[in-house]
């Protein structure tokens, strides 16, 4: 009785890269959704946030709904990129504000940010990616 094994390294590599791209697109969608929710739930401005307040205020309701995630990830060598973007020209000013009485929505200690990072890390877990990539080889 003999056992034959076929090396499918190239197919695995292709499957692994496909899995990374798909999961990265889903991760970008998670970030887009959670950022939109954080902005939509915040108060509207004016008035500005009280000095030292953790209660966020934003200047426009349009900003929350203006975020989009790319439908595909791009790859250059070993670097993968998925994009989250908006058509609001002053979005960076509203999302990443610092100074007295202003709220930085991308601050790492915010609940929505920590929750988003945890969901993204879970989605991009190497063991999970390998399982997705090898799924096509199961008998």
């Amino acid at each position: 009785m003999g056992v034959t094994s076929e090396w499918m390294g190239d197919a695995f590599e292709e499957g692994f890269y496909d899995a990374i791209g798909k999961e990265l697109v889903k991760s970008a969608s998670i970030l887009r959704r959670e950022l939109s929710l954080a902005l939509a739930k915040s108060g509207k401005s004016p008035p500005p946030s009280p000095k030292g307040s953790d209660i966020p205020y934003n200047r426009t309701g349009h900003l929350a709904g203006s975020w989009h995630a790319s439908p595909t990830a791009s790859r250059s060598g070993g670097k993968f990129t998925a994009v989250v973007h908006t058509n609001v020209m002053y979005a960076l000013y509203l999302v990443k504000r610092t100074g007295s009485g202003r709220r930085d929505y991308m601050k790492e200690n915010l609940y929505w940010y920590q929750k988003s990072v945890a969901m993204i890390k879970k989605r991009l877990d190497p063991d999970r990616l390998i399982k997705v990539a090898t799924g096509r080889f199961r008998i």
Side-chain angles (χ1 to χ4, degrees):
M1 178 174 182
V3 176
T4 304
S5 177
E6 182 182 346
W7 173 249
M8 299 179 71
D10 293 336
F12 170 76
E13 184 177 13
E14 181 183 329
F16 188 68
Y17 287 154
D18 286 347
I20 291 172
K22 288 176 183 173
E23 297 303 318
L24 193 58
V25 167
K26 291 176 184 175
S27 297
S29 293
I30 289 170
L31 179 62
R32 183 217 51 82
R33 181 187 69 230
E34 295 300 320
L35 178 57
S36 291
L37 286 173
L39 289 167
K41 289 179 179 179
S42 67
K44 303 296 181 243
S45 192
S49 301
K51 185 174 182 176
S53 172
D54 282 340
I55 301 171
Y57 288 90
N58 60 302
R59 293 184 181 268
T60 176
H62 177 67
L63 180 63
S66 69
W67 294 93
H68 306 282
S70 61
T72 59
S74 62
R75 177 176 163 231
S76 177
K79 184 178 179 179
F80 291 82
T81 306
V83 178
V84 176
H85 60 93
T86 180
N87 59 356
V88 175
M89 300 304 284
Y90 51 91
L92 183 61
Y93 168 75
L94 293 173
V95 172
K96 195 140 181 80
R97 298 184 294 177
T98 57
S100 178
R102 296 186 175 202
R103 177 63 179 262
D104 180 1
Y105 287 93
M106 300 302 284
K107 202 169 189 180
E108 293 178 5
N109 66 348
L110 297 176
Y111 173 74
W112 85 267
Y113 188 89
Q114 292 174 352
K115 178 181 153 189
S116 300
V117 168
M119 287 190 290
I120 290 168
K121 282 183 178 179
K122 187 175 181 181
R123 184 156 289 285
L124 296 174
D125 177 62
D127 291 335
R128 186 175 187 283
L129 291 172
I130 290 170
K131 187 175 180 180
V132 170
T134 58
R136 64 173 72 177
F137 303 119
R138 305 215 186 253
I139 299 174

